[in-house]
Amino acid sequence: MRIAVPNKGRLHEPTIDLLERAGLHLENGADRKLYADTVDPDVSVLFARAADIPEYVADGAADLGITGYDQVREARVDNVSELLDLEFGRCRLVLAAPEDGDIESVADLEGGTVATEFPNITADFFADTGVEPDIVEVSGATELTPHVEMADAIVDITSTGTTLKMNRLAVVEEVLASSVRLFGREDVLEEPKVDEVRTALSSVKQAEGKRYLMMNVPEDRLETVRDVIPGMGGPTVMDIADENGDDGKVAVHAVVDERDVFETITEVKKAGASDVLVNEIERLVE
Ligand SMILES: Nc1ncnc2c1ncn2[C@@H]1O[C@H](COP(=O)(O)OP(=O)(O)OP(=O)(O)O)[C@@H](O)[C@H]1O
Ligand SMILES: O=P(O)(O)OC[C@H]1O[C@H](OP(=O)(O)OP(=O)(O)O)[C@H](O)[C@@H]1O
Ligand SMILES: [Mg+2]
């Protein structure tokens, strides 16, 4: 099983980091190499440009791919399926035009020109609107094209909006919302390894929003503490082995939403718990 991952650019680091956290440690993968092995002898990694990854997967150079949804859509590959939203690399493809110009709606682009690094997505977007501008493909610095009379508007990536603002461009309409996805070629999806990889990556995502709470609770307060612990299933309750005689306490462990931790600590303290520890969780397979 081979996974294609971004070789550089902003998606490279977070993707490698995710694979590592998922337990798929890379080996022999020094920078600038084309391939790397992983600790799993059945899983290797191919480094490729973010934009090339969907085609590599579709054509069989790799079986699974990790790249932006925008790239998957732009490649128009029809034999791959999405397996998991990895929820980083969040951005929007937007139609944007000069702030103080005449383009205020999609309809204003009839007979106009739109520059983009994403000609297929742009064509699909306009096909749905019935408006038919010329679409000009550029390979970078798209934001400049309206100011050099190459285009009336652009379709480009935005996240913080800084680049658009710097270039005095305003969003006319959202074209596509994107984030990084795990996807695979349809003829390999039934292989058990695909699900193993998907589960490993998803376990990291699951763990990100959770914390592992540990606390000591007097046995006679256990039910009260139980009642104020939210989250996954019931807490785990363990006897505390105590050489100096039983002091009537148990250890309570629970997985709790990160957002609930603050309130939960207040509540369990009130209910009689002590020695509360909050731990990060590396992976969580439900
Ligand atoms: N500003 C941004 N915020 C969030 N995600 C982004 C942003 N810009 C790009 N992305 C996501 O990252 C993907 C790759 O962009 P990136 O700029 O890293 O590569 P690239 O410009 O294609 O690299 P190169 O052309 O140098 O190989 C995009 O397709 C998109 O999914
Ligand atoms: O809304 P913002 O936060 O400003 O982000 C948008 C910018 O980010 C991307 O460029 P990137 O930084 O990847 O540089 P690149 O043009 O070299 O790919 C994208 O092409 C936009 O130009
Ligand atoms: Mg870029």
Side-chain angles (χ1 to χ4, degrees), residues 9-10 117 157:
R10 66 174 70 228
E117 286 182 60
I157 291 172

Side-chain angles (χ1 to χ4, degrees), residues 48-92:
R49 284 195 56 205
D52 294 335
I53 289 174
E55 295 235 16
Y56 280 22
V57 174
D59 295 349
D63 306 298
L64 302 177
I66 298 179
T67 193
Y69 178 61
D70 52 344
Q71 302 294 358
V72 181
R73 283 287 297 274
E74 180 60 23
R76 282 190 176 155
V77 284
D78 58 9
N79 60 339
V80 308
S81 292
E82 186 175 317
L83 296 165
L84 191 62
D85 187 346
L86 297 171
E87 296 171 351
F88 62 95
R90 276 188 197 284
C91 56
R92 299 186 302 146

Side-chain angles (χ1 to χ4, degrees), residues 66-210:
I66 298 179
T67 193
Y69 178 61
D70 52 344
Q71 302 294 358
V72 181
R73 283 287 297 274
E74 180 60 23
R76 282 190 176 155
V77 284
D78 58 9
N79 60 339
V80 308
S81 292
E82 186 175 317
L83 296 165
L84 191 62
D85 187 346
L86 297 171
E87 296 171 351
F88 62 95
R90 276 188 197 284
C91 56
R92 299 186 302 146
L93 273 180
V94 295
L95 176 68
E99 278 167 3
D100 40 19
D102 311 328
I103 311 293
E104 286 173 355
S105 71
V106 174
D108 296 333
L109 282 161
E110 186 60 56
T113 303
V114 177
T116 185
E117 286 182 60
F118 297 87
N120 291 333
I121 292 174
T122 303
D124 292 344
F125 170 76
F126 280 104
D128 289 341
T129 66
V131 178
E132 293 184 359
D134 277 340
I135 297 168
V136 178
E137 182 173 358
V138 293
S139 61
T142 316
E143 296 92 350
L144 297 178
T145 57
H147 300 297
V148 293
E149 262 114 72
M150 259 186 70
D152 301 297
I154 64 171
V155 168
D156 201 11
I157 291 172
T158 183
S159 56
T160 63
T162 314
T163 310
L164 289 179
K165 207 173 199 134
M166 259 171 35
N167 290 282
R168 287 173 284 113
L169 298 167
V171 174
V172 175
E173 203 154 309
E174 175 169 313
V175 172
L176 184 83
S178 181
S179 58
V180 171
R181 312 286 164 93
L182 170 73
F183 57 95
R185 203 174 48 260
E186 278 162 6
D187 62 5
V188 302
L189 296 186
E190 295 304 315
E191 294 194 21
K193 205 41 96 180
V194 171
D195 204 50
E196 283 178 37
V197 170
R198 199 195 66 79
T199 302
L201 296 182
S202 134
S203 70
V204 174
K205 290 282 131 197
Q206 298 255 25
E208 271 173 2
K210 306 279 188 193

